[in-house]
Amino acid sequence: MNNSATPNGTPVDSVSHTNSPAKDKHCDLYIESDRTGMTVETLKRAFVDNLHYIQGKDAMFATPYDYFMALAYTVRDRLLHRRIKTAQTYFEQDAKVVYYLSAEFLIGRLLLNNLINVGLYEQTQQAMADFGLDLNELMEGEPEPGLGNGGLGRLAACFLDSLATLEIPAVGYGIRYEFGIFEQIITNGWQHEVPDNWLRFGNPWEIARPDYNVEVKFGGHTEAYTDAQGHYRVRWVPSTTVFGTPYDTPIPGYGKNTVNTLRLWSARAAQDFNLQVFNAGDYTQAVSEKTFSENISKVLYPNDNTPQGKELRLRQQYFFVSCSLQDIIRLYLRRHTSFDAFPDKVAIQLNDTHPAIGVAELMRLLVDEYQLPWEKAWDITQRTFAYTNHTLLAEALERWSVELFGQLLPRHLEIIYEINYRFLNEVRLRYPGNTARLARMSLIEEGYPKQVRMAHLACVGSHTVNGVAELHTELIKQELMRDFHEMYPNKFQNKTNGITPRRWLLMSNPRLASLITETLKSDRWITHLEDLRGLEPYATDPAFQAKWQQIKQANKERLAEYIWRNNQIEVDPYSLFDIQVKRIHEYKRQHLAVLHIITLYEQLKANPHMDIQPRTFIFGGKAAPGYFMAKMIIKLINSVADMVNHDSDVNGRLKVVFLSNYSVSLGEIVYPAADLSEQISTAGKEASGTGNMKFALNGALTIGTLDGANVEIRQEVGAENFFLFGLTAQEVMSLKAEGYNPREYYNSNPMLKKVIDSLISNYFNPREPGLFEPIVNSLLNEDQYMLLADYQSYVDCQQRAAQAFRNKAHWTQMSILNVARMGKFSSDRTIAEYCKDIWHVKPVPVSLDTCRPAFRPSRASQASSL
């Protein structure tokens, strides 16, 4: 295989692709089209054509962004060629389609991903070089879509990649957030949020589909009536309506002709501009409806600390679910005249509780709009939906006040009450006289305010409920949804999460990917991650270890350069890179890592000549705008960093860095550079985690609790290759049941007391007395996530990790074995299990035409909208 440079300036192997068209027997002559051709010369012609006629520039006036856009459109042409053929194939075969509903899709930059998946990387690099352009620089200029916050959205993106790679008919549905997740700015150690205007210069990958606009209703009231056949009916008379416009992004499979679609909805007003009001002189009011309506798709997760914020979140969720379900029905009815086959042709996956309103919305559409009998509609609904739970945290299991629900979605509240009435009758028959169970299982939580339980709605309205790690699923069965599991034991499954090796090894760590391919003498591992087992015999080979170490060192130097460039902090790339990057949350316990840093700092202050393993502690992640304690943790990290990084007693042996505005593209630099991966959540709180998988796949060793997928990672890589500490989930529950008192740990552990006292005494914040009192009070008086109980175990485990790092040969052996044994954690495996056990769908291979067919408008040709 030939090596060539990637965006990071490192070699990547060319990949074998089978998607180049062979000569069609019906074509006397095949001439490569500038729109679809794969050769260097064809790409060059197409690039110049797009620069001139889409960007309207030539080489004299073109900017780097013009070049990027021209290249992106060139690649998009090849994707659309495959996309149209994919849609036609699905339509002709009347294939069952998976519809993945998610509030987040953290897809990352797409140019490199698309080049690799379609098999165009080397040709494109050569074509750009022939023009004197650097492909790496062009790719760096691509804006990153801010369509997600963390693991939930990144998982959805990995799943889309795997669905296309496995040739599964699928569509992802979500919201086209105009500003997405905020851009994080760190000022004086504090997080500040500014708009992430990722659409400022347009998005070359998406295609607007205004011809598929749908109408979404809000507010108003309902009216009962009797139809011509004497049936009781209800019509919803809304107070406002908005339109949803779909924007399609093509999602190519790796080495396949399949290109699926991510369809995102943008909100716009039913009436953008009121001319009468404008002519009357009220210019602001003339566009007020437009402003109000378009707020729905402005920002990911608006702050819901206010009633207005809560209402906007509910509007967002209903908006994209209603748009998506109307679209799904439209697509289904192109081939069918009744809903009898709907569950056999449609599989809808609810990615957490955000789209759970879909259960009530599908019932509304079937009963009110298409006038199906309730019983038939309910049977279709239950057989169509499946629900993935992603959290064990009570506050993340969404509840909406009945009052707000009734104001915003009056018809849906009626439907939910009817579903609940019928469901509770089933519970009464099954468990007569058990009023406590009725209260626990009801879709409506009594109290003030009375609330709709969205997780219960999703559970009742779905044929399958799955957790995302073995431990998580067991806790769902035993704790979170115990009543439901007892009533419907066959409804619950586990589907351990996975990550795509294309993004998280092939793209992000090309040197390591090349070494693996060279060693295994095959690149089959890219789609069969279990093939990495073939690396095990090399784990103790000194020559192979040396190559492995060189790659890790180069990745660390790349991250060190990034840190200097963006944080102006000089870090030692030969130190132990101890990294924790993820959403900032108390249960993820970034502040436990800070307590350990302060512990090492205190030891160095007491003995400046102490022999200590040099470390660089690296944090990254965003706090929700309204989450005070998470923002306080970011401030604590930065305050400790400011003190430690400038103390001469430390002499550079400890460095602390907070990477601002953490993103997918930054993760592609961070994961390959890690020596030690921090996965230290309180046992029983993390559903799965996927960052733990990305780190391990790139050769980092894990320090962690038995939480989420850590349990399975440890089982796969071997207990001897994992740094385990802390209470188990059962021990956490038992200790809390006994009456956990964090002050006992504080008073009985001198070092812990000294660390906490340094926060009380304002040592790290002398100019802001009392700043960290909320953290101290939380730890000493409640410690909900049991940091103090796990502190000593964590510190001791960190010492073992530091000692192990000093033995380079053994550390490298453990690193190699971690990578070799990560095959289970491919999203390809996860999706294959969903297809077999939940969705009951099969691959639909796509073959490309080699000559352009004559244009004949037909029903089949319209299928490209899918």
Side-chain angles (χ1 to χ4, degrees):
M1 288 188 167
N2 298 322
N3 288 336
S4 53
T6 67
N8 307 315
T10 54
V12 63
D13 283 334
S14 59
V15 222
S16 301
H17 284 265
T18 58
N19 56 9
S20 295
K23 184 176 178 181
D24 192 294
K25 64 181 181 181
H26 299 297
C27 290
D28 296 323
L29 177 67
Y30 175 67
I31 301 174
E32 191 170 66
S33 165
D34 284 358
R35 293 287 190 184
T36 62
M38 304 284 281
T39 64
V40 172
E41 290 305 315
T42 304
L43 290 171
K44 288 165 65 176
R45 289 196 304 270
F47 174 76
V48 171
D49 196 57
N50 286 328
L51 183 66
H52 283 195
Y53 299 112
I54 294 184
Q55 291 304 104
K57 297 283 187 72
D58 61 12
M60 182 177 295
F61 296 103
T63 66
Y65 194 75
D66 289 320
Y67 289 132
F68 160 73
M69 293 291 281
L71 179 56
Y73 283 122
T74 301
V75 177
R76 193 185 77 169
D77 286 344
R78 278 95 190 132
L79 297 180
L80 293 180
H81 172 52
R82 291 159 175 77
R83 173 63 213 145
I84 291 170
K85 184 60 179 177
T86 299
Q88 290 172 349
T89 302
Y90 294 166
F91 184 84
E92 290 164 1
Q93 297 190 21
D94 195 16
K96 185 173 185 178
V97 180
V98 174
Y99 298 99
Y100 198 81
L101 271 60
S102 178
E104 299 184 35
F105 286 95
L106 202 56
I107 55 177
R109 290 172 173 165
L110 293 177
L111 179 53
L112 178 58
N113 180 81
N114 291 339
L115 288 173
I116 287 177
N117 278 14
V118 178
L120 275 173
Y121 180 78
E122 287 191 337
Q123 303 96 300
T124 302
Q125 186 186 52
Q126 182 61 56
M128 295 301 99
D130 288 352
F131 287 127
L133 298 172
D134 186 334
L135 178 58
N136 303 338
E137 293 180 2
L138 295 183
M139 289 191 286
E140 281 297 313
E142 179 177 3
E144 186 163 346
L147 299 171
N149 180 38
L152 181 79
R154 187 52 233 173
L155 179 77
C158 286
F159 279 4
L160 291 184
D161 177 87
S162 287
L163 283 160
T165 298
L166 295 177
E167 302 179 300
I168 302 299
V171 179
Y173 280 114
I175 298 180
R176 182 180 179 266
Y177 302 103
E178 184 178 344
F179 294 102
I181 189 67
F182 58 85
E183 182 179 347
Q184 181 191 54
I185 305 293
I186 303 298
T187 305
N188 192 29
W190 290 101
Q191 170 181 295
H192 296 276
E193 304 91 26
V194 298
D196 173 23
N197 195 3
W198 69 280
L199 286 170
R200 180 185 299 109
F201 299 114
N203 177 7
W205 304 112
E206 68 182 9
I207 299 173
R209 305 284 193 190
D211 45 331
Y212 297 124
N213 277 359
V214 296
E215 186 179 85
V216 181
K217 307 172 185 177
F218 290 102
H221 64 278
T222 62
E223 296 176 350
Y225 68 99
T226 303
D227 67 14
Q229 289 73 40
H231 298 133
Y232 174 84
R233 300 291 181 194
V234 176
R235 69 168 61 91
W236 180 11
V237 182
S239 58
T240 59
T241 59
V242 300
F243 286 122
T245 299
Y247 287 76
D248 290 353
T249 299
I251 306 294
Y254 175 81
K256 303 291 172 62
N257 295 322
T258 299
V259 174
N260 287 330
T261 298
L262 170 60
R263 176 161 286 180
L264 303 176
W265 298 96
S266 181
R268 71 176 182 85
Q271 181 180 348
D272 287 344
F273 180 68
N274 190 319
L275 183 60
Q276 287 73 30
V277 173
F278 183 86
N279 286 336
D282 194 342
Y283 306 136
T284 301
Q285 189 63 30
V287 294
S288 62
E289 186 175 341
K290 174 180 172 67
T291 302
F292 181 77
S293 298
E294 293 182 359
N295 279 340
I296 291 174
S297 55
K298 285 290 184 188
V299 177
L300 171 70
Y301 297 155
N303 188 347
D304 63 353
N305 288 349
T306 65
Q308 295 88 343
K310 286 183 171 64
E311 179 181 331
L312 182 53
R313 275 211 188 189
L314 182 55
R315 282 182 183 272
Q316 281 187 334
Q317 292 179 11
Y318 176 65
F319 167 76
F320 99 82
V321 166
S322 180
C323 288
S324 303
L325 289 176
Q326 291 182 64
D327 199 52
I328 291 168
I329 290 173
R330 177 185 63 81
L331 292 166
Y332 170 80
L333 291 177
R334 286 188 162 183
R335 286 295 303 260
H336 301 271
T337 57
S338 79
F339 284 92
D340 293 348
F342 194 79
D344 300 320
K345 297 299 179 182
V346 172
I348 302 176
Q349 190 70 30
L350 303 174
N351 191 31
D352 217 1
T353 53
H354 307 121
I357 187 61
V359 173
E361 172 66 358
L362 184 56
M363 285 297 293
R364 183 191 73 82
L365 290 168
L366 294 177
V367 173
D368 293 356
E369 302 296 330
Y370 294 95
Q371 301 195 343
L372 269 62
W374 178 279
E375 291 76 11
K376 183 173 183 177
W378 184 240
D379 176 67
I380 290 171
T381 296
Q382 285 188 305
R383 291 168 55 205
T384 300
F385 280 111
Y387 162 55
T388 301
N389 174 278
H390 283 280
T391 184
L392 295 163
L393 301 179
E395 65 268 24
L397 292 174
E398 288 183 309
R399 295 169 170 83
W400 298 107
S401 76
V402 167
E403 181 182 10
L404 174 61
F405 223 96
Q407 291 173 357
L408 205 59
L409 304 170
R411 179 56 179 148
H412 297 78
L413 184 59
E414 293 176 353
I415 289 171
I416 289 171
Y417 273 128
E418 182 66 20
I419 293 171
N420 197 41
Y421 172 77
R422 294 171 183 243
F423 168 64
L424 291 182
N425 280 340
E426 288 184 43
V427 178
R428 288 188 185 93
L429 288 172
R430 183 79 177 271
Y431 305 98
N434 194 335
T435 55
R437 177 182 284 270
L438 287 172
R440 292 195 305 268
M441 298 184 73
S442 174
L443 275 57
I444 306 298
E445 182 177 299
E446 301 297 333
Y448 184 80
K450 186 182 292 189
Q451 294 182 308
V452 181
R453 294 163 163 162
M454 301 307 288
H456 288 206
L457 176 64
C459 184
V460 171
S462 299
H463 60 80
T464 304
V465 177
N466 74 278
V468 291
E470 289 177 0
L471 174 63
H472 173 233
T473 300
E474 286 306 306
L475 290 173
I476 288 174
K477 294 177 181 178
Q478 298 169 15
E479 301 291 331
L480 189 70
M481 293 184 173
R482 181 173 181 174
D483 293 320
F484 290 92
H485 178 246
E486 289 176 354
M487 187 165 175
Y488 306 115
N490 296 328
K491 182 176 282 197
F492 290 80
Q493 295 186 16
N494 176 62
K495 293 289 172 278
T496 298
N497 283 342
I499 58 174
T500 169
R502 273 76 64 183
R503 171 78 66 169
W504 297 114
L505 183 48
L506 183 63
M507 278 178 56
S508 64
N509 202 343
R511 279 195 179 99
L512 186 59
S514 294
L515 178 62
I516 291 170
T517 298
E518 172 191 317
T519 304
L520 298 179
K521 298 179 174 57
S522 168
D523 62 5
R524 202 183 90 112
W525 63 268
I526 299 169
T527 52
H528 296 79
L529 201 60
E530 65 276 7
D531 286 4
L532 292 180
R533 282 277 181 177
L535 296 174
E536 287 197 31
Y538 300 91
T540 56
D541 183 299
F544 186 75
Q545 284 195 354
K547 294 178 181 178
W548 195 273
Q549 291 166 1
Q550 289 169 4
I551 291 168
K552 177 62 74 173
Q553 192 59 38
N555 290 332
K556 292 173 71 173
E557 289 170 0
R558 178 169 58 130
L559 179 56
E561 291 173 6
Y562 178 91
I563 290 170
W564 173 249
R565 198 165 60 246
N566 291 274
N567 293 66
Q568 289 74 54
I569 298 173
E570 184 176 359
V571 301
D572 177 8
Y574 291 93
S575 65
L576 192 164
F577 274 22
D578 182 328
I579 304 183
Q580 187 174 14
V581 288
K582 56 187 66 185
R583 181 165 51 94
I584 308 296
H585 197 291
E586 290 170 276
Y587 90 82
K588 293 179 183 288
R589 302 203 295 191
Q590 285 91 351
H591 45 334
L592 176 58
V594 176
L595 297 185
H596 172 238
I597 295 170
I598 298 174
T599 300
L600 294 177
Y601 179 65
E602 292 285 358
Q603 291 171 347
L604 277 174
K605 293 298 287 181
N607 181 9
H609 302 292
M610 174 183 172
D611 181 21
I612 187 173
Q613 168 59 47
R615 286 188 188 239
T616 300
F617 295 94
I618 299 170
F619 298 85
K622 296 179 180 180
Y627 191 173
F628 170 76
M629 284 298 288
K631 287 187 168 182
M632 185 63 70
I633 289 170
I634 292 175
K635 174 62 175 174
L636 175 63
I637 293 169
N638 284 298
S639 295
V640 171
D642 190 52
M643 181 69 72
V644 169
N645 293 347
H646 296 94
D647 193 321
S648 59
D649 288 342
V650 174
N651 195 25
R653 288 172 289 176
L654 300 180
K655 285 289 177 73
V656 183
V657 178
F658 187 90
L659 301 174
S660 64
N661 205 41
Y662 188 69
S663 63
V664 173
S665 55
L666 181 49
E668 291 167 9
I669 299 174
V670 169
Y671 292 119
D675 294 308
L676 191 64
S677 160
E678 297 256 4
Q679 307 298 329
I680 60 176
S681 53
T682 311
K685 297 299 181 182
E686 186 73 83
S688 171
T690 52
N692 47 9
M693 302 171 191
K694 294 162 196 165
F695 278 115
L697 185 61
N698 283 275
L701 303 186
T702 303
I703 181 169
T705 54
L706 286 178
D707 194 30
N710 284 359
V711 178
E712 291 158 80
I713 291 175
R714 183 169 179 264
Q715 289 170 352
E716 293 293 313
V717 305
E720 69 279 8
N721 301 310
F722 187 104
F723 296 102
L724 177 67
F725 77 94
L727 300 169
T728 66
Q730 186 58 51
E731 288 170 340
V732 167
M733 288 187 283
S734 298
L735 187 55
K736 286 193 173 184
E738 294 167 6
Y740 172 57
N741 183 358
R743 285 187 178 270
E744 291 179 3
Y745 293 86
Y746 167 76
N747 290 323
S748 62
N749 188 322
M751 180 52 75
L752 174 60
K753 187 175 189 302
K754 190 171 186 179
V755 168
I756 297 293
D757 286 350
S758 71
L759 300 180
I760 296 173
S761 67
N762 304 308
Y763 184 83
F764 296 100
N765 52 296
R767 297 179 181 177
E768 301 170 277
L771 178 63
F772 297 122
E773 280 184 11
I775 292 179
V776 172
N777 290 338
S778 173
L779 293 177
L780 293 182
N781 299 323
E782 182 181 7
D783 194 16
Q784 180 182 359
Y785 299 108
M786 308 187 86
L787 278 74
L788 303 196
D790 274 349
Y791 166 81
Q792 193 59 53
S793 175
Y794 176 60
V795 169
D796 294 342
C797 190
Q798 282 280 15
Q799 180 60 27
R800 294 196 301 274
Q803 288 300 115
F805 187 73
R806 295 189 169 196
N807 186 337
K808 291 299 181 187
H810 185 61
W811 184 276
T812 304
Q813 175 186 333
M814 291 192 292
S815 173
I816 294 168
L817 290 175
N818 263 260
V819 175
R821 296 170 179 175
M822 283 299 291
K824 174 180 178 177
F825 302 101
S826 169
S827 52
D828 296 346
R829 186 270 313 157
T830 310
I831 287 299
E833 291 181 3
Y834 273 99
C835 291
K836 177 177 177 288
D837 302 330
I838 296 178
W839 301 328
H840 308 296
V841 295
K842 295 181 179 180
V844 177
V846 176
S847 298
L848 291 183
D849 296 322
T850 56
C851 55
R852 189 174 300 173
F855 177 70
R856 290 184 297 273
S858 68
R859 193 180 181 196
S861 68
Q862 296 169 5
S864 62
S865 65
L866 175 60

